[in-house]
Amino acid sequence: MRNNPWKERLISEPRINDRIRVPEVRLVGPGGEQVGVVRLEDALRLAEEAGLDLVEVAPEAKPPVAKLMDYGKYKYEAAQKARDARRNQANTQLKEIRFRLKIDDHDFGVKKGHVERFLSQGDKVKVMIMFRGREQSRPEAGVRLLQRLADEVGELATVESMPRQDGRNMTMVLAPTKRKADAMNEQRKRREAEREARRDKQAERSSKGRARTASATEED
């Protein structure tokens, strides 16, 4: 029912369905499409008609953001990912990268490169967005930024801890899909291959130098 399972749960144990107690919500469809601000009863009706749950994903927003999703299925998938992440956490370090909400594309690309490097080395990455002033009232913008990052590094990571706002900060933890030990073995093999390639080039240059010397001697 979903195109991108990572998007579904943005805070731990969110309010769902009849537990949501607000007059209206900013509704997001199951595929991430923006429906707009609707009355809570209308959102619950749409969820029932679609056979989905209504989940409050950004309660601090004005109005709160709610999404249509198969919440039971998501919890199962999240538990599976968490178990996989625990199996891979031996010797794993937790790196931290900080973003500003209004980051430009160049800086985003640079920081994403750091995230990819840490993940490829088998380390977890705690991504933090620091809100300034009125930015605290726009948590959905922070969610979108973290979602963009998670999507773009999706081949290297799973989202271990979904975006969670705490005062002026919003954090998300990415866990590498590759175990630390495997990443270290690959790096060691890559370094060995590079050293071997350098030795081969040096040997080739030495051989050519001797050949030129011998040719010059013969001409004399």
Side-chain angles (χ1 to χ4, degrees):
M1 295 182 181
R2 306 190 298 276
N3 294 328
N4 193 344
W6 100 269
K7 301 177 182 179
E8 308 305 344
R9 182 179 169 190
L10 305 179
I11 57 175
S12 57
E13 300 304 323
R15 288 187 289 268
I16 67 173
N17 299 327
D18 294 337
R19 292 175 55 199
I20 302 174
R21 301 295 185 183
V22 293
E24 60 183 17
V25 296
R26 185 175 299 279
L27 187 62
V28 179
E33 63 276 13
Q34 298 291 326
V35 178
V37 177
V38 301
R39 295 185 306 167
L40 176 63
E41 52 265 37
D42 292 334
L44 289 170
R45 176 178 53 79
L46 290 172
E48 184 176 2
E49 291 175 354
L52 299 172
D53 297 299
L54 182 68
V55 182
E56 191 179 48
V57 296
E60 302 299 325
K62 303 295 182 183
V65 180
K67 184 169 184 178
L68 298 174
M69 67 176 77
D70 183 344
Y71 188 58
K73 182 179 178 182
Y74 171 78
K75 289 184 69 175
Y76 172 78
E77 293 174 348
Q80 291 289 100
K81 291 179 180 179
R83 282 195 290 270
D84 291 341
R86 285 194 294 270
R87 284 197 293 267
N88 293 337
Q89 69 183 2
N91 299 320
T92 297
Q93 298 181 22
L94 180 62
K95 306 292 186 177
E96 184 173 301
I97 294 288
R98 298 188 177 191
F99 286 73
R100 288 293 185 186
L101 187 62
K102 295 182 180 179
I103 190 170
D104 61 38
D105 288 340
H106 173 74
D107 288 343
F108 180 88
V110 171
K111 289 182 178 291
K112 185 183 75 169
H114 294 322
V115 172
E116 290 174 331
R117 176 164 53 85
F118 292 143
L119 292 169
S120 65
Q121 292 172 350
D123 292 317
K124 294 182 182 180
V125 182
K126 180 180 180 180
V127 186
M128 177 182 294
I129 294 179
M130 299 175 290
F131 293 106
R132 291 177 174 175
R134 296 182 179 179
E135 290 177 352
Q136 292 184 73
S137 65
R138 299 174 52 212
E140 65 275 13
V143 169
R144 285 196 297 270
L145 180 60
L146 293 177
Q147 173 183 317
R148 174 188 172 189
L149 176 65
D151 287 344
E152 293 190 15
V153 301
E155 293 185 0
L156 297 173
T158 58
V159 180
E160 182 177 276
S161 177
M162 302 303 291
R164 185 185 185 108
Q165 187 172 5
D166 182 12
R168 290 181 176 273
N169 299 323
M170 178 177 286
T171 59
M172 174 182 72
V173 177
L174 297 171
T177 54
K178 187 180 300 180
R179 293 186 307 168
K180 181 78 172 183
D182 293 338
M184 293 177 66
N185 286 335
E186 288 187 6
Q187 289 179 353
R188 184 171 59 252
K189 290 178 180 178
R190 185 164 56 251
R191 286 194 297 267
E192 291 174 352
E194 290 172 352
R195 284 196 294 267
E196 185 65 27
R198 286 195 296 269
R199 285 196 294 266
D200 290 343
K201 287 183 179 180
Q202 290 173 352
E204 183 179 357
R205 284 197 296 268
S206 297
S207 176
K208 289 181 178 178
R210 287 194 297 269
R212 284 195 297 269
T213 301
S215 177
T217 301
E218 291 174 359
E219 290 178 357
D220 293 342

